[in-house]
Amino acid sequence: MTLSTREADAAFADLICDDPQWLDAEFDALISASFGEPPAPPPPAPPLVPPRPGIPCPPSRRPSPGPAATTSPATGPGHGRQRSPPAHPPAGHQAAAPAP
């Protein structure tokens, strides 16, 4: 008796899924062998309690604010932005003839 690949795959799947308890045990064994224990939970965050008067605040973990990463260009004469010519003239306009 010759089985096609599809028929052999279906017969194999039927055999594997025939015993749900065995399938669950094999799945659990594969998972436990592939993965260790789950990671430990992160430490709890410190309580959000305002400091008592006279006691300085602890330093912040955030970086101190510095100059903006992007600055706008200077304005005024001599500081304008130069534009390149358009790639092609707009529709309905004729290109100017080059100067002699």
Side-chain angles (χ1 to χ4, degrees):
M1 176 171 145
T2 305
L3 295 176
S4 70
T5 303
R6 176 173 280 171
E7 291 169 337
D9 288 345
F12 181 71
D14 289 341
L15 177 65
I16 296 297
C17 296
D18 191 41
D19 186 355
Q21 289 177 336
W22 175 83
L23 185 60
D24 287 341
E26 287 297 312
F27 179 79
D28 291 341
L30 285 171
I31 295 300
S32 65
S34 298
F35 301 101
E37 291 295 317
L48 298 175
V49 178
R52 290 185 285 171
I55 298 176
C57 295
S60 173
R61 292 184 182 175
R62 292 187 215 161
S64 62
T70 58
T71 58
S72 58
T75 57
H79 292 287
R81 203 170 91 175
Q82 184 176 2
R83 291 184 50 175
S84 61
H88 50 80
H93 290 87
Q94 292 182 348

